[in-house]
Amino acid sequence: MRRLLSILSLTFLFAASPTLAQKAIVEESVTDIVCDGPTHAFQHFREVTSILNEQGASLALFVCSCSKHDRLTSFKGLVTDGAGRIIRRLKESELKKTEYSPFLAIDDYKMYLDYTPPVYPVTITYEWTIESHDNLIEFPRFCPQTDYDVSVRKASYSLKAPKNMTIRHALQNIDGEVRTEESGKYTRTITLEVSDLPVLKQEPYARPLRERMPMAMFFPNDFTYYGTQGSLRSWADYGKWEYSLINGMDALPEAVCQQIHQLTDPLKSNREKVEALYHRLGETTRYVAILLGIGGQQPAPAASVCKSGFGDCKGLTNYMRAMLKEVGIPSNYTTISTTNRRLLKDFPSVGQMNHVILQVPLPDDTLWLECTNPRLPLGYVHEDIAGHDAIEISAKGGRLVKLPCYTDSANLLRTAISISLNRDGAADLTVSQEAYNHQYENRIALLKMDEKERQRVLQQIVHVPQAEISKMDVAEDKTKITLDAEVKSLRYATRTGQRLFVPINPVHRGHTVPSITSERQEDIWIERGYLDENDITIDIPEGSEIEARPKDIQIEQPFGSFSSSILSDGKKVRIKNRLLMKSGTFDKSLYPQLSDFIRTISILYDQKIVLKIKN
């Protein structure tokens, strides 16, 4: 399911007063739309971009998406140098067409021109027109600033439409006013202008760019889309339209129904039946992205997915829904975004979602099934959708819901290490790790790796010089992955004379400390919290004693906590570390504290115990 816009194009952005960190300036961005009815519109665009240096070279690329319902009718381009002299005129005949896509099948194609500026600064003007018909479910978005280190001098948006078309809008990070004026007996014009937008700086621990950039969305209350009619007056109305696309698409062949009953009838609980069918989905199908028909919005029939063995998120979800329906278990087709955490509550639109999952409301629990990847445990809510808004689709319409999100401490990585150390610094290590929930996701790739690849990854997890891995096992149990390994190191500790310098923690080393800038734009944003617990035991070589050791420490900050303790009985040293990072938004004034917190943790993880070796 793709993000729907009447026109998808790369919008070029830029800044009002060049700085060393700035790469481009959008001198002018114009979007001018003339809609003469619910099924037809001309969309004219003009982008004037000054590219200041090589860092902005990619902004010279022109790309627009087309289809049998979006046709490029005109194009021209002009390139000038810093003095305004014409370097080159770009013609429509120079455009290239590509149907390349990560999707197996798609109605769209792209027209593009890959131009490389010969000098800097350079100003590029692109002007083009798209004719659209039968797909005006949304109008092009107003989004003149879509990259970091780019500012905008002036941008405008104009939409002329019949008076009998009710058009709504939603603003994000824009202070400008949307104006509506009568422009004749039968039409009205909606306009929006902005100017002098400063650069957006890329900052550590900040919201993603898509949530920070200025944007305005325009969409009709009622629409005609690929021959279907629908309404965006409310999420309930949107859901009715989506339901019309899936209604009747859940029929299955009789032979398949018999197989489903043979599989599930012996099972007692509905949860067991859901799990059995979820496993069947994973064993008999695979994900293939297909965006054909009704703009890529309608799923393939369940019978078709069953027969072919493949489908996209819509088709696989609908197929799973059909199997559950056959055994009397209701479920809800659910649209969601893997990028937008929040949906606009009062402004429903199709383009806010790009994915489909299945909701299964059981009496004692609500399961969320990721049908594109049934390798995930039943009901596991992965990090691309956890905590996101979604629209539950049913015959009653659409309902705004929010997916659950695991608590910070539930995203646990527990590590136990036993280190047997000898007098010259060599050591035998036994490593055991348990990763849960979102930290489990970070370890999933290990399950598909061969032994050589796993050993390479383990050397990145356990920082041991001159490591020789003699054993490594990886196992999965629902939302937990365990890793057990045996490692030999010829130089775990460093011996200098009669002293041995022993690292206290071979994992969680090398933290990147975020830099501090003089003026931070954004509040601190930590999307995923987590908990790391380490329990490390070091056997001290015979004939040695502890001469120096790190102090115990406890640190509490609004965004996290860290504790470290060391116990010794003269023969063994036991180190316990606990790091909790908290998800959430924190005032930007706390950023120096965050930087200092991470720096301190990095230093503490890198500390050593000093052993004195007796003669």
Side-chain angles (χ1 to χ4, degrees):
M1 182 173 173
R2 66 172 175 261
R3 175 188 175 196
L4 281 175
L5 298 177
S6 296
I7 170 67
L8 293 177
S9 63
L10 293 186
T11 314
F12 309 114
L13 357 170
F14 321 96
S17 54
T19 66
L20 291 177
Q22 193 169 333
K23 58 189 179 187
I25 302 170
V26 176
E27 306 288 356
E28 183 182 23
S29 174
V30 176
T31 301
D32 189 4
I33 303 162
V34 178
C35 175
D36 53 24
T39 62
H40 186 259
F42 283 99
Q43 303 159 6
H44 184 74
F45 304 89
R46 174 180 165 85
E47 299 287 341
V48 183
T49 304
S50 292
I51 301 174
L52 306 179
N53 47 52
E54 290 185 3
Q55 284 68 42
S58 62
L59 299 174
L61 171 69
F62 171 82
V63 179
C64 74
S65 289
C66 303
S67 71
K68 60 183 178 181
H69 291 273
D70 289 309
R71 185 172 65 92
L72 181 68
T73 61
S74 69
F75 168 85
K76 62 181 179 180
L78 182 69
V79 184
T80 59
D81 63 15
R85 293 184 293 264
I86 296 176
I87 297 176
R88 184 176 171 185
R89 296 184 187 275
L90 303 171
K91 301 177 182 179
E92 188 172 350
S93 59
E94 297 181 69
L95 293 177
K96 296 181 180 179
K97 178 180 178 180
T98 176
E99 295 179 351
Y100 172 78
S101 165
F103 307 104
L104 174 67
I106 186 171
D107 286 331
D108 291 357
Y109 60 91
K110 288 182 173 59
M111 301 299 294
Y112 73 97
L113 195 158
D114 190 4
Y115 179 76
T116 301
V119 296
Y120 297 97
V122 65
T123 298
I124 299 180
T125 300
Y126 287 127
E127 198 165 350
W128 70 103
T129 301
I130 296 285
E131 182 182 9
S132 297
H133 62 92
D134 295 330
N135 65 347
L136 299 181
I137 201 167
E138 289 184 352
F139 293 103
R141 296 185 180 185
F142 179 61
C143 191
Q145 188 175 24
T146 57
D147 202 359
Y148 293 112
D149 303 326
V150 174
S151 65
V152 179
R153 288 197 196 279
K154 182 180 180 181
S156 64
Y157 188 97
S158 173
L159 170 57
K160 181 180 291 186
K163 289 182 180 179
N164 60 3
M165 284 185 68
T166 302
I167 297 172
R168 306 174 72 198
H169 68 269
L171 303 181
Q172 172 185 290
N173 302 322
I174 288 181
D175 294 330
E177 180 184 355
V178 176
R179 300 178 182 275
T180 302
E181 297 178 354
E182 303 297 320
S183 52
K185 185 176 180 180
Y186 302 106
T187 61
R188 64 167 59 95
T189 302
I190 299 169
T191 58
L192 172 63
E193 294 184 358
V194 298
S195 60
D196 299 327
L197 300 179
V199 297
L200 295 173
K201 295 188 296 182
Q202 190 167 10
E203 298 175 324
Y205 294 95
R207 292 178 302 158
L209 177 63
R210 62 181 174 273
E211 295 185 16
R212 298 176 58 191
M213 59 190 184
M215 183 167 58
M217 291 163 280
F218 300 85
F219 36 83
N221 264 2
D222 303 293
F223 61 85
T224 299
Y225 187 73
Y226 284 72
T228 68
Q229 279 74 42
S231 171
L232 295 173
R233 295 172 186 269
S234 67
W235 283 117
D237 288 339
Y238 156 79
K240 290 176 182 177
W241 177 73
E242 281 282 2
Y243 187 79
S244 73
L245 302 184
I246 65 173
N247 191 26
M249 306 291 282
D250 52 9
L252 291 170
E254 183 59 32
V256 174
C257 293
Q258 292 178 7
Q259 295 170 8
I260 290 172
H261 282 286
Q262 289 172 1
L263 176 65
T264 59
D265 286 353
L267 303 176
K268 294 181 180 180
S269 71
N270 278 356
R271 186 182 181 93
E272 289 176 312
K273 294 179 181 181
V274 174
E275 187 161 16
L277 292 175
Y278 187 62
H279 287 159
R280 173 189 167 91
L281 180 73
E283 292 168 357
T284 60
T285 65
R286 61 189 176 91
Y287 172 76
V288 177
I290 303 170
L291 298 179
L292 295 175
I294 313 186
Q297 289 296 297
Q298 188 172 49
S304 174
V305 175
C306 178
K307 181 179 179 179
S308 67
F310 61 79
D312 60 7
C313 62
K314 305 181 302 297
L316 294 172
T317 298
N318 182 60
Y319 178 38
M320 182 67 190
R321 170 177 164 266
M323 290 193 291
L324 291 174
K325 181 181 178 181
E326 178 61 31
V327 298
I329 300 175
S331 61
N332 294 311
Y333 189 88
T334 302
T335 59
I336 194 171
S337 173
T338 57
T339 55
N340 300 324
R341 293 177 297 147
R342 303 278 76 85
L343 301 178
L344 298 173
K345 183 179 179 180
D346 299 320
F347 295 93
S349 65
V350 178
Q352 293 184 65
M353 284 79 67
N354 65 355
H355 190 45
V356 174
I357 59 176
L358 192 67
Q359 179 206 61
V360 186
L362 298 178
D364 57 346
D365 191 13
T366 296
L367 299 177
W368 301 93
L369 304 187
E370 178 54 89
C371 298
T372 60
N373 185 11
R375 274 284 298 121
L376 293 173
L378 179 74
Y380 176 68
V381 182
H382 59 85
E383 63 182 4
D384 285 341
I385 58 176
H388 286 211
D389 290 342
I391 306 299
E392 168 199 298
I393 307 297
S394 70
K396 297 179 181 179
R399 185 170 74 96
L400 183 64
V401 296
K402 184 177 180 180
L403 269 66
C405 190
Y406 299 104
T407 62
D408 299 335
S409 59
N411 299 321
L412 171 64
L413 180 63
R414 181 181 288 130
T415 305
I417 303 177
S418 178
I419 303 171
S420 179
L421 186 67
N422 66 29
R423 293 165 64 95
D424 62 3
D428 293 329
L429 294 85
T430 301
V431 181
S432 178
Q433 274 195 344
E434 296 177 346
Y436 297 83
N437 297 320
H438 292 312
Q439 301 235 47
Y440 147 88
E441 281 189 64
N442 296 334
R443 295 284 191 264
I444 287 178
L446 287 169
L447 298 170
K448 297 182 179 180
M449 291 181 181
D450 59 27
E451 190 66 23
K452 185 176 180 180
E453 289 177 309
R454 285 181 176 178
Q455 290 199 10
R456 178 181 56 80
V457 172
L458 181 63
Q459 290 177 342
Q460 297 172 351
I461 295 173
V462 182
H463 301 269
V464 177
Q466 297 183 16
E468 179 184 325
I469 301 170
S470 57
K471 175 187 174 184
M472 184 175 178
D473 296 317
V474 180
E476 181 183 27
D477 180 15
K478 296 183 179 178
T479 58
K480 178 180 76 171
I481 285 181
T482 58
L483 182 154
D484 294 292
E486 294 180 1
V487 183
K488 293 181 179 293
S489 173
L490 299 178
R491 195 167 54 84
Y492 179 76
T494 302
R495 180 161 180 171
T496 303
Q498 297 302 110
R499 288 173 174 79
L500 202 59
F501 297 86
V502 186
I504 63 170
N505 195 331
V507 293
H508 302 302
R509 298 172 69 184
H511 279 62
T512 300
V513 179
S515 59
I516 299 177
T517 56
S518 56
E519 293 185 12
R520 184 176 172 88
Q521 291 181 341
E522 279 282 298
D523 284 339
I524 299 166
W525 181 65
I526 301 175
E527 182 178 15
R528 297 274 178 255
Y530 62 88
L531 175 62
D532 288 343
E533 292 182 342
N534 305 322
D535 191 341
I536 301 166
T537 302
I538 302 174
D539 292 333
I540 297 175
E542 200 171 321
S544 64
E545 62 182 14
I546 297 176
E547 183 177 66
R549 43 149 283 188
K551 296 180 180 179
D552 294 352
I553 192 167
Q554 176 78 40
I555 305 173
E556 291 286 344
Q557 291 286 355
F559 31 74
S561 62
F562 179 81
S563 63
S564 178
S565 64
I566 300 177
L567 297 174
S568 174
D569 61 3
K571 296 181 180 180
K572 294 179 182 290
V573 177
R574 188 173 185 182
I575 303 107
K576 287 191 172 185
N577 298 324
R578 185 181 189 273
L579 169 61
L580 174 66
M581 289 297 294
K582 299 178 182 178
S583 60
T585 302
F586 308 90
D587 191 271
K588 61 184 179 182
S589 64
L590 297 175
Y591 185 71
Q593 289 178 233
L594 174 63
S595 179
D596 185 62
F597 178 63
I598 295 174
R599 180 182 296 104
T600 300
I601 292 169
S602 180
I603 293 170
L604 293 173
Y605 276 147
D606 287 343
Q607 290 184 110
K608 294 178 174 62
I609 293 173
V610 181
L611 300 180
K612 187 173 182 180
I613 308 297
K614 300 176 183 177
N615 293 328

